């Protein structure tokens, strides 16, 4: 059964002055409608799946507003939708899962960032970095830097998140640049409230169609020779416009504190964790108000790229030292701030990755340890003894837990009870005992649980729908045929062309096993081309065997060249 979002859909209809209550990602959905978005697309992926799920189920209401909603077949097709904002004054938003989705979308994004946009273009990313992440541990920040797309990282409260969605569109239009907004798991699922505004029906919409296409302007195409002036425009025009807007609208927030000799610069998305750590140290009252009543001055970067040099230097000037709290590697923000301070000849000592771990997410414990070291070096008069006692208690609790867990058997993740994929992998393991173990290429999806005990199968995992493609280099070098596993989600996303078509073109000899359950199940049972039709508006289920057979069906010309085929004059060849 699919989850129904009846209550959430009703909350999207709230008007001016009413109170919206819910989680962060649903606040983003409401903010898109308040911003007058014309079209929304995306590809499912935790923790942002609910955004598209709710809009898809609210098609009737979206039709009333004239908002086009599209569940795309991949992140690449979603990114390409934003091409509407290149030539037309329409606002569009797309969403997908963090770095893996941005990898898939990167081709379209590079061209989009080069050409620039007229209408606002917002990309909502479910950032999945850290210990609880389920994808390759990389950051979306790198894509923002390489393509010069602005990156928002709002403080995890619904008021700020909503504001940054609305300002994100304005920033995009002011600087003619696509804007990315990253939301960590905590931000997507944080519960809270904000005062709603009326939804804005877009001026150009499915209910108010354009009469004719835009005029042809070659300079809006990311194609030679237009691409060189576009690249110049990024740094000469778009970047200064973005910085001016960020500074004038005060998108970044500064919180004063009485310990003015030091300060902390933090990614907006880590603000709650930072205030929690300061609270443990007795340096903030997390219940006093939204700002936490911190004693240490804080510059919260709701926009982590681009930074505004004047904001950075103003915050750092007069302080003996500043700590940069930036999750992940490399330290993009710390390097940017260091360059800014050096160019401005500001002598403030900068700390960051010298006190914080280079990799991993920054929990309250990690931040407490770093702040204690920072203050011991740069503000030793500040009492951090409460933090030291808290850390001792944490260590003692961890030791007791380790002792208790050491007496329990390991319980690795596994398939749901009753999952029909269990006997498939059990059978594969039994067959391997009889005929020998083959190379097994696994894929992204529920079936990846087969890599854990007791199934323990899988030699490579290289991307969604990439299992058959990743076995291509193994097959010609192996005495046994490689086996590739993928779900129907991976098949439609990338497996058909990257795997099946490539394998056919290169005369590969591998076994492909497709786990068909009719939905992209690992992310909440979103529909696929092979999903069973449920009502008159659903598309008919597309059979995967027929699609694969179409690839492998020899053409009439091929048959006529085969000696003794007997099909030279056949009308059914």
């Amino acid at each position: 059964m699919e989850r129904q979002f009846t209550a959430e859909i009703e909350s999207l209809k709230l008007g001016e002055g009413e109170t919206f209550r819910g989680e962060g990602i649903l606040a983003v959905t409401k903010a898109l409608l308040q911003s007058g978005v014309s079209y929304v697309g995306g590809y499912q992926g935790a923790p942002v799946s609910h955004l598209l799920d709710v809009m898809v189920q609210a098609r009737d209401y979206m039709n009333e507003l004239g908002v086009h909603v599209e569940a795309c077949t991949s992140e690449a097709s979603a990114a390409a939708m934003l091409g509407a904002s290149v030539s037309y004054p329409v606002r569009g938003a797309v969403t997908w899962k963090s770095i893996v989705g941005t990898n898939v979308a990167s081709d379209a994004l590079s061209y989009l960032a080069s050409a620039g946009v007229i209408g606002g273009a917002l990309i909502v990313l479910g950032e999945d970095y850290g210990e609880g992440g389920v994808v390759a541990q990389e950051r979306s920040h790198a894509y923002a830097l390489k393509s010069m797309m602005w990156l928002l990282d709002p403080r995890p409260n619904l008021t700020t998140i909503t504001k940054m969605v609305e300002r994100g569109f304005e920033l995009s239009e002011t600087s003619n640049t696509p804007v990315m907004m990253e939301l960590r798991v905590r931000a997507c699922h944080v519960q809270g409230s904000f005062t709603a505004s009326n939804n804005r029906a877009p001026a150009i919409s499915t209910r108010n169609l354009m009469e004719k296409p835009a005029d042809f302007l070659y300079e809006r195409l990311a194609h030679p020779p237009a691409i060189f002036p576009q690249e110049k425009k990024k740094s000469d025009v778009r970047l200064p416009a973005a910085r001016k807007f960020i500074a004038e609208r005060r998108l970044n927030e500064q919180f004063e504190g009485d310990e003015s000799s030091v300060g902390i610069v933090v990614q907006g998305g880590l603000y709650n964790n930072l205030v929690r750590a300061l609270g443990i140290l007795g340096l903030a009252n997390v219940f006093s108000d939204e700002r936490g009543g911190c004693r240490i001055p804080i510059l919260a970067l709701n926009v982590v790229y681009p930074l505004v040099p004047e904001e950075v230097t103003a915050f750092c000037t007069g302080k003996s030292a500043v700590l940069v709290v930036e999750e992940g590697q490399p330290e993009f923000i710390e390097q940017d701030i260091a360059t800014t301070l050096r160019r401005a000849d500001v002598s403030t000592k900068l700390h960051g990755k010298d006190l914080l771990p280079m990799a991993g997410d920054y929990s309250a414990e990690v931040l407490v340890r770093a702040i204690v070291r920072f203050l011991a070096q740069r503000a030793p008069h500040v009492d951090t003894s409460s933090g030291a006692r808290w850390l001792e208690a944490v260590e003692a609790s961890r030791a007791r837990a380790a002792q208790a867990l050491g007496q329990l058997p390991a319980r690795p993740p596994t398939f749901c009870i009753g999952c029909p994929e269990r006997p498939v992998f059990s059978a594969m393991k039994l067959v391997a005992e009889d005929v020998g173990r083959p190379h097994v290429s696994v894929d992204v999806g529920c079936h990846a649980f087969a890599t854990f005990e007791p199934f323990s199968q899988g030699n490579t995992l290289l991307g969604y729908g990439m299992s058959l493609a990743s076995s291509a280099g193994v097959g010609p070098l192996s005495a046994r045929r490689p086996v590739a596993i993928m779900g129907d989600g991976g098949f439609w996303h990338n497996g058909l062309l990257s795997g099946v078509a490539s394998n056919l073109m290169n005369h590969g000899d591998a076994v492909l096993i497709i786990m068909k359950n009719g939905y992209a199940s690992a992310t909440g049972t979103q529909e696929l081309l092979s999903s069973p039709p449920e009502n008159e508006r659903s598309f008919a289920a597309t059979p995967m065997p027929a699609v694969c057979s179409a690839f492998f069906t020899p053409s009439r010309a091929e048959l006529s060249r085969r000696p003794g085929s007997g099909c030279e004059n056949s009308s059914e060849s």
Side-chain angles (χ1 to χ4, degrees):
M1 292 290 292
E2 293 186 23
R3 176 179 171 182
Q4 296 299 311
F5 294 94
T6 305
E8 289 84 350
I9 291 170
E10 288 303 309
S11 69
L12 297 181
K13 302 176 183 178
L14 293 174
E16 188 71 36
E18 296 184 278
T19 300
F20 179 102
R21 291 184 175 85
E23 58 182 356
I25 193 59
L26 294 175
V28 172
T29 312
K30 170 62 172 161
L32 292 176
L33 300 179
Q34 294 180 175
S35 301
V37 70
S38 292
Y39 63 98
V40 179
Y43 189 80
Q44 58 269 8
V48 292
S49 292
H50 286 7
L51 191 160
L52 202 61
D53 289 345
V54 171
M55 283 198 157
V56 167
Q57 290 190 19
R59 282 193 189 276
D60 290 341
Y61 182 55
M62 296 300 111
N63 290 337
E64 289 180 25
L65 293 174
V67 178
H68 173 63
V69 178
E70 191 157 311
C72 303
T73 54
S74 74
E75 297 87 353
S77 60
M81 281 186 72
L82 292 175
S85 294
V86 171
S87 299
Y88 302 97
V90 295
R91 290 181 169 183
V94 295
T95 181
W96 55 70
K97 182 184 182 71
S98 70
I99 193 68
V100 289
T102 311
N103 286 339
V104 176
S106 59
D107 195 7
L109 291 179
S110 293
Y111 284 90
L112 181 72
S114 184
V117 295
I118 296 175
L122 184 67
I123 303 158
V124 181
L125 305 171
E127 193 72 350
D128 198 20
Y129 180 86
E131 186 177 358
V134 296
V135 298
Q137 293 293 279
E138 298 177 3
R139 298 164 61 196
S140 304
H141 201 120
Y143 277 96
L145 290 175
K146 84 168 185 64
S147 295
M148 290 189 74
M149 295 182 290
W150 318 140
L151 180 61
L152 312 181
D153 190 358
R155 285 196 299 130
N157 67 75
L158 268 58
T159 299
T160 302
I161 290 171
T162 305
K163 172 186 172 183
M164 294 308 293
V165 171
E166 295 169 346
R167 295 292 179 267
F169 280 117
E170 295 172 7
L171 173 61
S172 177
E173 290 162 347
T174 299
S175 60
N176 303 120
T177 302
V179 170
M180 308 166 77
M181 185 170 75
E182 60 181 0
L183 297 168
R184 293 167 183 77
V185 175
R186 295 182 183 95
C188 285
H189 299 311
V190 66
Q191 294 287 327
S193 64
F194 70 92
T195 302
S197 300
N198 292 330
N199 295 333
R200 290 169 48 193
I204 299 174
S205 70
T206 58
R207 299 178 65 85
N208 189 19
L209 305 177
M210 295 180 291
E211 294 298 327
K212 61 179 182 177
D215 294 335
F216 173 74
L217 293 173
Y218 191 85
E219 57 266 29
R220 286 184 184 163
L221 300 179
H223 193 267
I227 50 176
F228 181 70
Q230 289 171 1
E231 185 70 7
K232 293 273 289 180
K233 190 175 290 186
K234 283 182 182 180
S235 55
D236 294 348
V237 179
R238 299 178 192 170
L239 179 59
R243 284 175 167 161
K244 184 173 184 289
F245 182 89
I246 293 164
E248 290 180 348
R249 298 302 180 93
R250 298 183 179 181
L251 300 191
N252 296 319
E253 300 171 283
Q254 185 169 330
F255 306 119
E256 302 298 334
D258 53 19
E259 294 294 339
S260 58
S261 65
V262 294
I264 300 175
V265 179
V266 62
Q267 291 170 283
L270 298 180
Y271 177 85
N272 290 5
N273 285 23
L274 174 63
V275 172
R276 169 61 176 152
L278 290 170
I280 291 168
L281 289 164
L283 301 175
N285 181 353
V286 296
F287 299 109
S288 63
D289 57 27
E290 186 190 45
R291 295 172 177 250
C294 298
R295 290 180 56 195
I296 308 295
I298 296 173
L299 176 59
L301 298 174
N302 292 316
V303 184
V304 292
Y305 178 73
L307 300 184
V308 180
E310 295 79 9
E311 285 186 352
V312 172
T313 55
F315 180 78
C316 294
T317 298
K319 294 181 172 60
S320 62
V322 167
L323 174 66
V324 179
V325 178
E326 174 186 7
E327 201 172 59
Q329 57 184 336
E331 60 273 49
F332 297 120
I333 299 173
E334 185 180 343
Q335 291 176 20
D336 197 343
I337 292 176
T339 300
T340 298
L341 297 182
R342 182 69 187 88
R343 287 175 176 169
D345 200 22
V346 175
S347 60
T348 304
K349 179 68 177 178
L350 200 63
H351 290 279
K353 294 299 185 182
D354 57 332
L355 301 179
L356 284 154
M358 182 63 81
D361 60 339
Y362 287 170
S363 63
E365 180 185 350
V366 169
L367 292 175
V368 167
R369 294 184 186 280
I371 296 169
V372 167
R373 294 176 62 193
F374 172 65
L375 294 177
Q377 291 184 34
R378 299 298 169 181
H381 61 280
V382 176
D383 181 14
T384 59
S385 58
S386 62
R389 291 191 296 271
W390 183 81
L391 289 171
E392 289 175 3
V394 168
E395 290 294 343
S397 176
R398 183 175 289 120
R400 290 192 297 271
Q403 183 177 11
L405 291 174
Q407 302 170 3
L408 298 174
R411 295 187 64 187
T414 189
F415 294 107
C416 297
I417 301 300
C419 176
E421 295 184 6
R422 283 176 173 268
V424 175
F425 290 104
S426 298
M428 286 177 60
K429 196 167 186 179
L430 293 172
V431 170
E433 292 179 358
D434 294 335
V435 301
R437 188 172 65 87
H439 173 95
V440 178
S441 298
V442 296
D443 213 308
V444 174
C446 293
H447 44 275
F449 283 118
T451 59
F452 294 106
E453 295 179 349
F455 307 101
S456 304
Q457 298 177 57
N459 300 94
T460 54
L461 176 58
L462 291 175
Y464 195 27
M466 299 296 288
S467 58
L468 184 56
S470 72
S471 69
V474 177
L477 311 178
S478 176
R480 294 191 180 91
R481 288 181 181 177
V483 176
I485 310 291
M486 71 174 70
D488 46 352
F491 175 84
W492 292 118
H493 179 272
N494 208 350
L496 177 59
L497 294 180
S498 296
V500 174
S502 182
N503 196 68
L504 172 62
M505 185 175 75
N506 292 285
H507 308 288
D509 187 19
V511 176
L512 172 61
I513 300 175
I514 299 174
M515 302 292 185
K516 179 183 181 298
N517 55 24
Y519 296 91
S521 299
T523 51
T525 64
Q526 287 84 8
E527 288 188 339
L528 304 169
L529 281 168
S530 50
S531 298
E534 295 184 356
N535 54 54
E536 68 278 2
R537 295 184 302 177
S538 296
F539 40 76
T542 304
M544 288 181 292
V547 173
C548 290
S549 297
F551 270 86
F552 286 94
T553 300
S555 68
R556 181 173 181 177
E558 287 180 298
L559 291 171
S560 66
R561 287 195 296 269
R562 296 179 185 177
S565 65
C567 295
E568 289 84 348
N569 299 312
S570 171
S571 62
E572 298 179 358
S573 62

